[in-house]
Amino acid sequence: VKSEGPKLVPFFKATCVYFVLWLPTSSPSWFSALIKCLPIFCLWVFLLAHGINFLVSHRSASRILAGLIFSAVGDAFLIWQEQGYFIHGLLMFAITHILYSSAFGMKPLDLKAGLLMGLVCSSCYAFLYSYLSGPFTYLVAVYIALIGFMGWRAVAGMQLCNDLWTWTKLSACIGAMLFMVSDLTIALNEFCFPVPYSRFIIMATYYAAQMLIALSAVESRDEDDFRKRS
């Protein structure tokens, strides 16, 4: 907390600015896009504060940074989703989930967690299916598969049963789950029915998810510090 907390202060301030201003989505502008993306920009700074050499030498951290960059672009597209940029935002976040999955890695495999995540995602898609039409029938299926895969890799890395978990892996797991909640709320609100307080739920879980996933990138730094002390 002492080492990482101060680096997150700009993120918390930017998040507060977003919720205090609460700019209407009915009149999208570059200013509203900036305010929405500002907390993600601060997470870029958070990772860059650990040093360029750290990011270059640790692929997982650099991939999470790349995911945050695509997330910011996706956020900007979604500001103008009513003008036809929803699919563009969907594509940017699909790339984000691929990058996060790559950052979390494929070890340990944990097929049980994968099966459970597959059942959850299949159930969600089965519910959404009757509300989808046109290209969204396939696009949403692919997107759910990608975010479900990302969630599986985050959960698999935690290893609670083997007592091998770390606070950074726990951050990745909780962050992935919150990301799924955020995206499911978007899907329900966009395709099915109006969700009460949907914007607040979507953005609160989204910002928390991105912060926790960014925090998981310092796992490699912790391992380096441990080796030096040893």
Side-chain angles (χ1 to χ4, degrees):
V1 173
K2 288 181 179 179
S3 63
E4 305 301 333
K7 299 186 187 79
L8 286 170
V9 170
F11 166 79
F12 289 120
K13 289 183 176 180
T15 303
C16 288
V17 168
Y18 173 82
F19 284 108
V20 168
L21 292 181
W22 203 242
L23 298 173
T25 56
S26 57
S27 54
S29 65
W30 284 108
F31 178 70
S32 59
L34 174 63
I35 295 301
K36 184 181 181 184
C37 295
L38 192 57
I40 306 303
F41 295 158
C42 292
L43 291 178
W44 297 3
V45 175
F46 166 75
L47 289 179
L48 289 170
H50 291 84
I52 298 298
N53 290 336
F54 168 72
L55 293 173
V56 171
S57 59
H58 296 91
R59 292 183 178 180
S60 60
S62 60
R63 287 168 184 171
I64 288 176
L65 176 61
L68 288 168
I69 292 172
F70 277 99
S71 293
V73 177
D75 282 332
F77 276 129
L78 291 181
I79 286 287
W80 285 278
Q81 61 179 321
E82 299 299 329
Q83 285 71 37
Y85 288 96
F86 182 79
I87 292 180
H88 298 73
L90 198 69
L91 175 61
M92 292 299 102
F93 280 106
I95 296 173
T96 295
H97 296 318
I98 293 172
L99 287 166
Y100 286 169
S101 299
S102 178
F104 298 149
M106 291 301 297
K107 294 180 180 179
L109 196 59
D110 197 348
L111 293 176
K112 291 182 180 179
L115 178 60
L116 178 60
M117 194 61 65
L119 289 173
V120 170
C121 291
S122 297
S123 299
C124 290
Y125 183 70
F127 178 82
L128 292 169
Y129 181 79
S130 60
Y131 295 94
L132 302 173
S133 61
F136 284 111
T137 304
Y138 311 102
L139 291 175
V140 171
V142 173
Y143 187 86
I144 288 177
L146 289 175
I147 194 172
F149 186 82
M150 186 271 290
W152 169 34
R153 299 321 310 147
V155 172
M158 194 168 56
Q159 300 185 77
L160 279 176
C161 296
N162 297 328
D163 199 27
L164 296 174
W165 67 278
T166 61
W167 70 269
T168 45
K169 289 178 180 177
L170 182 62
S171 293
C173 179
I174 297 174
M177 296 302 101
L178 288 175
F179 217 135
M180 294 179 72
V181 170
S182 179
D183 281 356
L184 178 60
T185 307
I186 291 176
L188 292 173
N189 196 63
E190 183 74 20
F191 301 114
C192 303
F193 48 78
V195 178
Y197 308 106
S198 59
R199 185 181 172 193
F200 176 80
I201 295 170
I202 290 166
M203 296 311 299
T205 53
Y206 170 69
Y207 285 141
Q210 294 283 41
M211 180 196 70
L212 291 168
I213 290 173
L215 270 172
S216 73
V218 303
E219 172 77 16
S220 300
R221 189 179 183 89
D222 288 346
E223 290 173 355
D224 288 347
D225 292 342
F226 178 77
R227 282 195 293 267
K228 289 176 182 177
R229 288 196 299 269
S230 301

